[in-house]
Amino acid sequence: MTACLLCGGAATTVLARARDTRFGVPGEWTILACSACGLEQTDPLPSAAELKVLYETHYNWGGERDTTYTDWRERLLLSPLYRLLLVLDGDVSFHGEHGTGRLLDIGCNEGRGLVLYGRNGFVPEGLELNAKAAAAARARGFVVHAVDLAHFRPEQPFDRAVLSNVLEHALDPRAMLRDVHRILAPAGEVWISLPNARSWLRGVFGRAWINWHVPFHITHFTALRLVALLEETGFAVVAARQITPALWVAQSAIAWAFAGRPEQPRMLRQPLLLAGLMAIVRGLLFPLLWLANRVGRGDCLVVKARRI
Ligand SMILES: [Zn+2]
């Protein structure tokens, strides 16, 4: 019996034979739920060494560049249209937040978020383990630390730390939050977004729900479990809400429509198909998405917590 990675409790199966819909990594995984604390986790857990290879092979700079999809994504993120989209479709990466002070974007990739945080008043720096992505972010003029968070010793603390769809990738989310606590200034805030383990879309799309994202997503948090872990690691939640991005719904729909077919990962990166589906989802389903967010069944948890 696999034990819960946070509390050691007994874990039972909630979903069997989950597959990687994003990149087509071969294999099947099980999602387990802890009967003691409610955390869900992917089983078997990949080792740190396996994850390193997986990220270098598939993620961002290891995978694709200069494709229509990446080109389209780059242009959109830096355009006025993106600001409108943040308002209409929800901001899961805190790209619309304004403020001042030192901000650390943990897992900053090629630094697209750093551009936006800087534009909105912050003094942003990045943390990125992928050397190629870190170099690309530095080429934009930013300070990027290519070091594991556990070994990161900044000369000055940060006022904000962003974990935008990052915490669920950690083999030890408790250690990650303790490290964030260590690098924050007193009353500094951590901003977290991650998929909601209580999303109603899990029931709709089943194994095709895009946010299982095995084997890259190690843990699957409910809002309650996330808040409990934040409190345990020295944080007080100051804001919590839910968002259901039309992009995520569109990706789940595509993964469902092309389930089990070799073109599935490629179809998830078709800009016109995505844009069309997003317009349909946002245009027709908005009352349903709004309601789901309000009753705790949205697709993405968005939480701000202050260091205490
Ligand atoms: Zn547990």
Side-chain angles (χ1 to χ4, degrees):
M1 171 83 63
T2 306
C4 170
L5 63 81
L6 280 182
C7 82
T12 54
T13 300
V14 278
L15 184 82
R17 303 195 327 276
R19 290 166 156 264
D20 174 28
T21 52
R22 308 263 188 118
F23 308 113
V25 173
E28 289 187 344
W29 289 267
T30 301
I31 309 297
L32 304 174
C34 173
S35 54
C37 79
L39 182 80
E40 294 181 7
Q41 68 192 58
T42 295
D43 184 70
L45 291 177
S47 68
E50 285 165 346
L51 279 175
K52 187 169 189 296
V53 172
L54 283 168
Y55 280 109
E56 285 173 357
T57 310
H58 299 285
Y59 245 73
N60 296 313
W61 286 77
E64 56 174 344
R65 54 187 295 191
D66 298 334
T67 64
T68 310
Y69 176 73
T70 54
D71 185 44
W72 172 82
R73 187 176 61 181
E74 181 78 21
R75 283 180 199 216
L76 175 69
L77 274 167
L78 301 176
S79 73
L81 180 65
Y82 182 63
R83 265 172 270 174
L84 179 67
L85 206 60
L86 287 180
V87 175
L88 290 177
D89 202 33
D91 180 8
V92 296
S93 296
F94 308 96
H95 285 164
E97 298 282 341
H98 288 71
T100 54
R102 284 165 54 72
L103 180 151
L104 182 69
D105 185 9
I106 299 167
C108 71
N109 292 316
E110 305 99 292
R112 288 185 302 270
L114 297 178
V115 176
L116 297 164
Y117 301 131
R119 201 181 272 177
N120 292 344
F122 297 103
V123 181
E125 294 183 11
L127 194 79
E128 177 54 57
L129 279 176
N130 183 316
K132 286 182 190 164
R138 282 191 200 108
R140 296 179 194 259
F142 295 105
V143 174
V144 177
H145 309 273
V147 59
D148 197 299
L149 180 63
H151 301 116
F152 181 46
R153 300 287 183 274
E155 288 177 11
Q156 293 178 58
F158 289 89
D159 303 292
R160 302 283 181 271
V162 177
L163 290 171
S164 169
N165 291 287
V166 165
L167 189 66
E168 71 278 21
H169 291 252
L171 281 168
D172 188 344
R174 180 187 283 119
M176 178 171 268
L177 288 180
R178 283 191 173 140
D179 283 321
V180 169
H181 191 277
R182 173 176 54 77
I183 57 120
L184 278 175
E189 289 182 8
V190 60
W191 294 351
I192 299 171
S193 62
L194 44 69
N196 179 11
R198 294 204 65 235
S199 171
W200 71 289
L201 293 167
R202 300 201 332 176
V204 173
F205 294 111
R207 287 185 184 83
W209 187 53
I210 201 72
N211 290 312
W212 294 117
H213 197 11
V214 289
F216 297 91
H217 283 184
I218 304 298
T219 52
H220 312 269
F221 277 91
T222 62
L224 274 178
R225 190 64 190 91
L226 178 60
V227 169
L229 186 63
L230 280 164
E231 289 175 350
E232 183 197 330
T233 51
F235 293 93
V237 172
V238 291
R241 62 199 176 105
Q242 300 193 1
I243 292 175
T244 304
L247 174 66
W248 293 15
V249 184
Q251 286 178 322
S252 286
I254 294 170
W256 175 82
F258 291 91
R261 291 163 61 173
E263 66 268 35
Q264 185 191 44
R266 191 161 44 81
M267 297 311 287
L268 286 170
R269 290 166 180 73
Q270 299 291 328
L272 285 178
L273 179 60
L274 277 174
L277 278 172
M278 283 171 69
I280 292 169
V281 167
R282 188 48 59 200
L284 295 182
L285 297 183
F286 68 92
L288 202 54
L289 302 185
W290 178 85
L291 187 65
N293 294 338
R294 295 299 294 261
V295 299
R297 307 291 302 278
D299 229 15
C300 183
L301 303 175
V302 181
V303 173
K304 290 182 177 179
R306 185 177 298 131
R307 181 189 193 273
I308 50 174

